[in-house]
């Protein structure tokens, strides 16, 4: 053991001599003996945050990922509204065709129609689910094209008068604890008409289904901040209830139903209106709105990203008495007052950018700069479950990157914080980033951990 300490001491001395000869301290490279050094943190590095535009177009119609497993990138429609005096109003609308499904009705003579119900199955909800949420169902004027790709900027014309309207308290969850559908019962005349078209061969596939049902639009007149994802896989569609009878006795021998799903063609439209807000100044990709103009906050949301600048980091010098930089951690504590907004904030990733706010490359991770298998320097949302108040954060290890900035080895470019996913569930979520003037638990900080002699 004594021999080990002598060797370690000689190594440290040799390294110190090399450092003195070169006149430069390579950050994160020193071998630190915990008996001779301590680690102290410094969080006075200036960090500026602002809001910039994200690419404003992405696919919201079904994208097949794996045909063998029938896996799609997204399986929901997003309906709702979110209003914020700083970011404006986001409105989302869902549109869908009705798919044909195999059924026993062709030329059937012993079938009696009971009812026709439009079902909307909950997938998730974001925002305030304790207050009433209004939803309207409108008939499309023309069916969606089954060969077209639809984007968040796409639209489809629908009749101004709704077929149905209902006010509900959103209750996504697992049955039987919570109901998982909103149900609209159609008229008996419409149910009989639909059945007759199936029975006489008028409807035999998706093409003829689109001729009969042009499709539906789902909108909300509600002014509250609620976004609801409705499943397009197994919980939504038109369900025709019927029973069969014994021809001789007219006794019911079977009661059943057939669901005609909404899964084949659907999309979600996003409408952003930032009129009258500070973010109305965002007209091009090069624009940035300082957090000082938006109540010391920047945003990560649909169409928005947070830009980070370290304006003076190249002027930073290791203080006297310190041997070097041990690590550099970027800590972003989001402005979130409650856990009761139904969705955990999304994972975020940090990228090197340019004056056009384009993503150039992922920020190197850790002291080595090696990125994980995902290829991103990303962080998940975390909060301290032991604290009575909400103490939460995202943490990014940018040791190598900060080291190179301080030493002037790389240009000081802006960084971009953004989400990674393009699914609607991720797009529904918002993260508010507090600048350095926010209270201690709601701010962004670059924490430098310096090695000091005892």
């Amino acid at each position: 053991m004594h021999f080990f300490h002598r060797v370690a001491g000689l190594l440290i001395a040799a390294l110190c001599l090399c450092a003195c000869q070169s006149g430069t301290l390579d950050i994160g490279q020193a071998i630190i003996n915990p008996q001779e050094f301590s680690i102290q943190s410094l969080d006075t590095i200036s960090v500026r945050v602002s809001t910039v535009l994200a690419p404003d177009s992405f696919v919201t119609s079904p994208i097949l990922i794996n045909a063998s497993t029938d896996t799609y990138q997204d399986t929901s429609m997003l309906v709702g509204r979110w209003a914020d005096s700083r970011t404006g109003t986001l409105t989302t609308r869902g549109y869908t065709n009705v798919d044909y499904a195999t059924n026993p009705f062709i030329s059937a003579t012993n079938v009696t129609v009971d009812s026709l119900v439009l079902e909307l199955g909950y997938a998730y909800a974001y925002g305030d689910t304790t207050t009433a949420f209004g939803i309207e169902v409108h008939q499309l004027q023309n069916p969606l094209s089954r060969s077209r790709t639809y984007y968040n900027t796409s639209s489809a014309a629908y009749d101004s008068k709704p077929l149905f309207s209902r006010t509900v308290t959103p209750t996504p969850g697992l049955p039987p604890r919570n109901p998982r559908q909103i149900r609209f019962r159609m008229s008996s005349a419409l149910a009989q008409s639909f059945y007759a078209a199936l029975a006489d061969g008028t409807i035999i596939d998706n093409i003829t289904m689109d001729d009969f049902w042009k499709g539906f639009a789902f909108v909300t007149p509600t002014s509250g901040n609620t976004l609801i994802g409705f499943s397009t896989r197994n919980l939504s569609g038109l369900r025709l209830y019927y029973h069969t009878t014994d021809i001789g006795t007219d006794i019911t021998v079977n009661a059943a139903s057939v669901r005609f799903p909404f899964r084949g063609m659907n999309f979600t439209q996003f409408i952003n209106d930032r009129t009258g807000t500070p973010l109305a100044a965002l007209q091009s990709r090069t624009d940035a709105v300082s957090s000082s103009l938006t109540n010391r906050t920047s945003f990560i949301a649909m169409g928005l990203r947070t830009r980070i600048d370290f304006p003076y980091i190249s002027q930073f010098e290791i203080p006297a008495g310190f041997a070097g930089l041990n690590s550099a951690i970027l800590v972003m504590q989001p402005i979130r007052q409650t856990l009761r907004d139904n969705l955990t904030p999304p994972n975020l990733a940090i990228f090197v950018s340019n004056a056009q706010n384009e993503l150039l490359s992922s920020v190197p991770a850790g002291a080595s700069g090696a990125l994980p298998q995902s290829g991103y320097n990303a962080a998940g949302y975390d909060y301290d479950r032991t604290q009575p108040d909400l103490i939460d954060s995202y943490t990014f290890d940018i040791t190598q990157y900060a080291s190179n900035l301080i030493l002037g080895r790389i240009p000081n470019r802006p960084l971009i914080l953004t989400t990674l996913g393009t699914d609607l569930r991720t797009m529904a979520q918002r993260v508010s980033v507090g600048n350095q003037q926010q209270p201690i638990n709601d701010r962004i900080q670059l924490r430098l951990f310096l090695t000091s002699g005892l």
Side-chain angles (χ1 to χ4, degrees):
M1 182 64 70
H2 290 295
F3 175 75
F4 173 80
H5 283 306
R6 291 194 189 99
V7 171
L10 288 172
L11 285 172
I12 293 172
L15 286 169
C16 290
L17 285 172
C18 290
C20 292
Q21 290 172 352
S22 65
T24 301
L25 282 173
D26 280 344
I27 296 173
Q29 301 300 313
I31 298 174
I32 299 169
N33 185 335
Q35 294 179 341
E36 298 180 7
F37 295 92
S38 65
I39 305 299
Q40 298 186 24
S41 64
L42 178 71
D43 59 7
T44 57
I45 299 294
S46 294
V47 183
R48 292 179 181 171
V49 294
S50 54
T51 304
V52 299
L53 290 176
D56 59 359
S57 183
F58 53 90
V59 175
T60 60
S61 55
I63 299 176
L64 183 63
I65 302 298
N66 189 321
S68 62
T69 59
D70 195 32
T71 302
Y72 287 79
Q73 175 176 295
D74 211 322
T75 57
S76 63
M77 295 178 292
L78 192 62
V79 181
R81 182 178 181 274
W82 195 281
D84 186 305
S85 60
R86 298 165 298 177
T87 62
T89 301
L90 169 66
T91 303
T92 61
R93 298 169 181 164
Y95 302 85
T96 188
N97 284 357
V98 182
D99 295 343
Y100 180 77
T102 303
N103 62 83
F105 304 135
I106 189 75
S107 302
T109 58
N110 62 334
V111 172
T112 300
V113 173
D114 295 318
S115 62
L116 179 63
V117 177
L118 188 154
E119 300 174 336
L120 280 178
Y122 291 108
Y124 52 85
Y126 181 62
D128 186 1
T129 58
T130 63
T131 58
F133 180 84
I135 185 165
E136 296 178 347
V137 182
H138 297 254
Q139 182 83 50
L140 292 183
Q141 295 180 358
N142 293 289
L144 305 179
S145 171
R146 292 183 180 268
S147 60
R148 175 183 167 185
T149 299
Y150 288 87
Y151 295 82
N152 61 305
T153 53
S154 303
S155 63
Y158 55 85
D159 295 340
S160 58
K161 183 178 180 180
L163 293 171
F164 309 102
S165 61
R166 177 168 296 179
T167 299
V168 299
T169 300
T171 52
L174 296 175
R177 185 187 65 180
N178 286 322
R180 295 200 63 181
Q181 290 179 325
I182 302 175
R183 297 163 60 86
F184 303 88
R185 181 165 178 162
M186 296 190 169
S187 69
S188 296
L190 193 51
Q192 289 293 339
S193 175
F194 182 38
Y195 166 72
L198 293 165
D200 65 17
T202 299
I203 301 176
I204 58 172
D205 54 21
N206 281 339
I207 295 174
T208 50
M209 180 69 82
D210 291 344
D211 290 337
F212 188 91
W213 295 110
K214 292 182 172 59
F216 302 102
F218 304 100
V219 305
T220 180
T222 303
S223 59
N225 287 355
T226 307
L227 297 168
I228 299 179
F230 292 108
S231 170
T232 58
R233 302 299 286 166
N234 302 315
L235 295 171
S236 300
L238 289 179
R239 187 176 294 277
L240 186 61
Y241 290 89
Y242 67 96
H243 66 270
T244 57
T245 58
D246 181 87
I247 297 177
T249 63
D250 201 32
I251 296 175
T252 298
V253 295
N254 184 48
S257 66
V258 176
R259 183 174 59 86
F260 299 86
F262 293 157
R263 64 185 295 174
M265 177 50 66
N266 54 79
F267 77 96
T268 297
Q269 178 187 19
F270 286 69
I271 305 170
N272 265 313
D273 182 4
R274 301 188 183 101
T275 304
T277 72
L279 297 189
L282 295 176
Q283 298 297 316
S284 70
R285 293 288 299 277
T286 61
D287 295 330
V289 173
S290 170
S291 58
S292 63
L293 301 176
T294 50
N295 194 26
R296 301 172 297 172
T297 307
S298 65
F299 303 93
I300 302 167
M302 207 298 291
L304 301 174
R305 291 170 171 167
T306 284
R307 170 173 162 161
I308 300 171
D309 291 275
F310 306 120
Y312 310 117
I313 194 169
S314 60
Q315 302 174 20
F316 178 78
E317 295 182 357
I318 301 296
F322 289 87
L325 181 65
N326 184 278
S327 63
I329 307 297
L330 182 67
V331 179
M332 192 278 283
Q333 297 170 292
I335 301 175
R336 189 183 188 211
Q337 304 303 322
T338 177
L339 297 175
R340 300 184 63 184
D341 50 10
N342 301 293
L343 286 179
T344 301
N347 292 348
L348 300 178
I350 188 167
F351 293 87
V352 179
S353 183
N354 57 17
Q356 289 73 45
N357 299 313
E358 299 169 318
L359 305 185
L360 301 181
S361 62
S362 184
V363 173
S368 69
L371 293 172
Q373 189 173 2
S374 66
Y376 303 109
N377 188 343
Y381 175 80
D382 189 31
Y383 68 95
D384 189 343
R385 292 165 175 79
T386 66
Q387 297 297 320
D389 297 325
L390 181 56
I391 308 298
D392 52 356
S393 65
Y394 290 87
T395 302
F396 301 88
D397 189 337
I398 61 169
T399 299
Q400 186 193 85
Y401 185 77
S403 164
N404 287 332
L405 284 179
I406 292 171
L407 294 174
R409 293 172 174 170
I410 58 175
N412 188 0
R413 299 182 183 275
L415 305 183
I416 295 291
L417 266 181
T418 185
T419 56
L420 286 174
T422 57
D423 60 288
L424 296 181
R425 187 185 183 97
T426 300
M427 292 295 178
Q429 298 167 279
R430 302 163 62 88
V431 180
S432 298
V433 181
N435 68 15
Q436 288 184 305
Q437 283 68 54
Q438 285 282 3
I440 188 65
N441 292 329
D442 290 330
R443 67 175 59 167
I444 191 168
Q445 293 176 312
L446 178 60
R447 297 177 182 172
L448 302 182
F449 292 87
L450 305 177
T451 303
S452 66
L454 292 176

